[in-house]
Amino acid sequence: MNLRERKKRRTRDALLRAALELFATRGYEETTVDDIAAAVDVSQRTFFRYFAGKEETAFFVPRLAETLVVEALRTRPPGEVPLEALRRAVLESWDAINEAVEELVPIELHLRVYRVIESTPALLAAHLRRSAELEEQLACIIAEREGLDVNADPRPRIVVALFGGVIRVTERLWSAGDDISIDGMRELTTTYLDQVGPALAGNWHAEPSP
Amino acid sequence: MNLRERKKRRTRDALLRAALELFATRGYEETTVDDIAAAVDVSQRTFFRYFAGKEETAFFVPRLAETLVVEALRTRPPGEVPLEALRRAVLESWDAINEAVEELVPIELHLRVYRVIESTPALLAAHLRRSAELEEQLACIIAEREGLDVNADPRPRIVVALFGGVIRVTERLWSAGDDISIDGMRELTTTYLDQVGPALAGNWHAEPSP
DNA sequence: GAGGCTAATGACAGCCACTGACAATTGACA
DNA sequence: TGTCAATTGTCAGTGGCTGTCATTAGCCTC
């Protein structure tokens, strides 16, 4: 790796960390791009040469995680039923995610930024759009696994929509609680996914949720 | 109603229609607030006194529709199972929606704007966030119907997430196709909702989708 | 290791969404 | 009709973001 390349990487990482730190402490709307650039001592123009917008810094880490989940689903054995493949892909990619993220920023900082994302309307909107795009990708992979046409058969998108909905609920609970651990997250997710069947059954009063 | 009030309403409606017309023809990003204000011959500042932002004009009609759906769900008989109540609330409020919208802008214009929403990243993001908020409301109503605590029992949010996912898929199909009719939309929705059970069953190869 | 090449940066000007402040106008009501 | 309050226009300013151009800094060759 060049001196030039190394320098670029260092600048990008510095900008990223400065941005996330500022978002987490001061809030997203309250930090200007000038603040971020000033914290790294580069011009505002340079910031925009590394990131397409202020938003992109906030979603740099989540993007990493998504990439890994998609990869995990791609390598799931074909024997698994769709919902099961999705569940395992997510549960089993968390270790890799944790590792990759920690190389960039402390997980704890990422948690704090995630809370900011959930509580900032503009960021929440962007987050949901990104999730929708991810779901589209997953639906395509599922369809391929089952030898179906995503646009002709509604079922791939439906399972993924359901799955995505459950994941989003657990993500929110994770960020709201104070258990950062992977195991805690894993447990939460399995619990919720196990509720899907009963939730659709209908007669909720007969068998109250545990 | 006052002369003053009538005048205000007229200005607001004019701004709304001008904005939607411009969005539909020229595109969202390509029309500036100045354009909209100029089309109605008021100052830019006045536009911002009627709408909190450019976005708000694009979602004025959808907001109307959401209000009616929430109301419809609230008045569903308690005997219905959650998913059924949701389905009927949506299907049976479309007539009211159609009527209310047409009083404001032509449905056909709304369709064109909806396509713009789906294809403009910033608007799509906002749309998804609004949908999430709506789902939260619906989950609360469902929980109340069933005498549950939304935060303690995951099932209300899960059914609503599933339902919302299906609705979003049908909305996209509706806007992509060329059948604007209510009946077409109704049929599409029922078809997709009927797929939910089979989609979760798992063995998709045994019983291919109709 | 001097010089040329190219990539990275900074400085500047400008667009657009949006806001605050103040003055001018216009409907309401006695 | 005159007074009061609501509505509007004007102006100035902030923040995100982009294009342009000159300057700097690493790279590569002779």
Side-chain angles (χ1 to χ4, degrees):
Chain A
M1 230 220 237
N2 264 345
L3 201 193
R4 204 177 251 173
E5 302 266 318
R6 265 179 287 141
K7 216 170 174 181
K8 269 173 58 177
R9 171 65 58 98
R10 228 182 307 133
T11 308
R12 195 205 60 183
D13 288 358
L15 281 170
L16 183 61
R17 273 190 277 265
L20 298 187
E21 196 62 59
L22 284 168
F23 294 164
T25 57
R26 196 187 304 180
Y28 180 75
E29 315 268 19
E30 288 72 26
T31 94
T32 69
V33 174
D34 286 305
D35 291 335
I36 303 170
V40 184
D41 204 52
V42 295
S43 72
Q44 190 218 47
R45 198 64 185 83
T46 294
F47 172 90
F48 284 109
R49 287 200 178 96
Y50 282 95
F51 300 97
K54 198 167 79 160
E55 232 179 57
E56 203 179 284
T57 59
F59 291 109
F60 201 89
V61 169
R63 210 185 66 200
L64 237 182
E66 285 165 24
T67 309
L68 293 173
V69 169
V70 168
E71 232 168 79
L73 181 63
R74 280 225 171 81
T75 58
R76 278 279 107 197
E80 288 169 350
V81 138
L83 199 55
E84 189 59 20
L86 285 166
R87 173 204 209 107
R88 289 187 187 276
V90 167
L91 290 175
E92 290 176 17
S93 56
W94 262 324
D95 288 312
I97 290 173
N98 227 32
E99 195 180 329
V101 171
E102 191 71 44
E103 234 171 78
L104 217 57
V105 296
I107 290 278
E108 181 267 344
L109 176 56
H110 172 234
L111 205 217
R112 284 196 290 153
V113 172
Y114 189 80
R115 287 204 246 259
V116 173
I117 291 177
E118 292 257 21
S119 63
T120 307
L123 288 182
L124 179 56
H127 177 54
L128 293 173
R129 184 177 54 101
R130 296 174 50 77
S131 301
E133 276 165 20
L134 174 60
E135 283 177 27
E136 182 64 23
Q137 276 188 73
L138 298 180
C140 289
I141 299 175
I142 292 289
E144 203 176 340
R145 280 171 60 94
E146 307 291 325
L148 301 171
D149 177 3
V150 227
N151 295 309
D153 196 313
R155 293 173 300 176
R157 281 200 235 266
I158 289 178
V159 223
V160 173
L162 163 62
F163 184 78
V166 176
I167 291 292
R168 233 165 293 127
V169 171
T170 60
E171 277 179 342
R172 230 175 54 206
L173 286 174
W174 172 71
S175 75
D178 39 26
D179 181 9
I180 312 185
S181 75
I182 316 181
D183 290 333
M185 183 70 187
R186 242 193 283 266
E187 197 184 331
L188 198 64
T189 308
T190 51
T191 306
Y192 267 64
L193 282 175
D194 288 339
Q195 294 292 328
V196 170
L200 293 175
N203 57 337
W204 289 1
H205 297 289
E207 30 160 352
S209 157
Chain B
M1 228 214 232
N2 265 346
L3 200 192
R4 202 173 253 173
E5 300 267 318
R6 265 177 289 141
K7 214 169 175 181
K8 268 173 58 176
R9 171 66 57 97
R10 229 181 306 135
T11 308
R12 194 205 61 183
D13 288 358
L15 280 170
L16 183 60
R17 273 189 278 265
L20 298 187
E21 196 63 57
L22 283 168
F23 294 164
T25 57
R26 194 188 303 180
Y28 180 75
E29 315 268 20
E30 288 73 26
T31 95
T32 70
V33 173
D34 285 304
D35 291 335
I36 303 169
V40 184
D41 204 51
V42 296
S43 73
Q44 190 219 46
R45 196 64 183 84
T46 294
F47 172 90
F48 283 110
R49 287 199 177 99
Y50 282 95
F51 301 97
K54 198 168 75 157
E55 234 180 56
E56 203 179 284
T57 58
F59 292 109
F60 200 89
V61 170
R63 211 185 64 197
L64 237 182
E66 286 165 22
T67 309
L68 293 173
V69 168
V70 168
E71 230 168 81
L73 181 63
R74 281 226 171 82
T75 58
R76 277 279 108 198
E80 287 169 350
V81 139
L83 199 54
E84 191 57 21
L86 284 166
R87 174 205 207 107
R88 288 188 187 276
V90 166
L91 290 175
E92 290 176 19
S93 56
W94 261 325
D95 289 312
I97 290 173
N98 228 31
E99 195 180 330
V101 170
E102 190 71 44
E103 233 171 81
L104 218 54
V105 296
I107 290 277
E108 180 266 345
L109 176 55
H110 172 234
L111 205 218
R112 284 195 290 151
V113 171
Y114 190 80
R115 287 204 247 259
V116 173
I117 290 177
E118 291 256 21
S119 63
T120 307
L123 289 182
L124 179 55
H127 176 55
L128 293 173
R129 185 177 56 98
R130 295 173 51 76
S131 302
E133 276 165 21
L134 174 60
E135 284 177 26
E136 182 64 23
Q137 276 188 71
L138 298 180
C140 288
I141 299 175
I142 291 290
E144 203 177 340
R145 281 171 58 95
E146 306 292 324
L148 301 171
D149 178 3
V150 227
N151 295 309
D153 196 313
R155 294 173 300 176
R157 281 200 235 268
I158 290 178
V159 223
V160 173
L162 163 62
F163 184 77
V166 176
I167 291 293
R168 232 165 292 126
V169 171
T170 59
E171 277 179 342
R172 231 175 52 208
L173 286 174
W174 172 71
S175 74
D178 39 26
D179 180 10
I180 312 184
S181 75
I182 316 183
D183 291 333
M185 183 71 186
R186 242 194 282 265
E187 198 185 329
L188 198 63
T189 308
T190 51
T191 306
Y192 267 64
L193 282 175
D194 288 339
Q195 294 291 329
V196 170
L200 294 175
N203 57 335
W204 290 2
H205 298 288
E207 30 160 353
S209 159

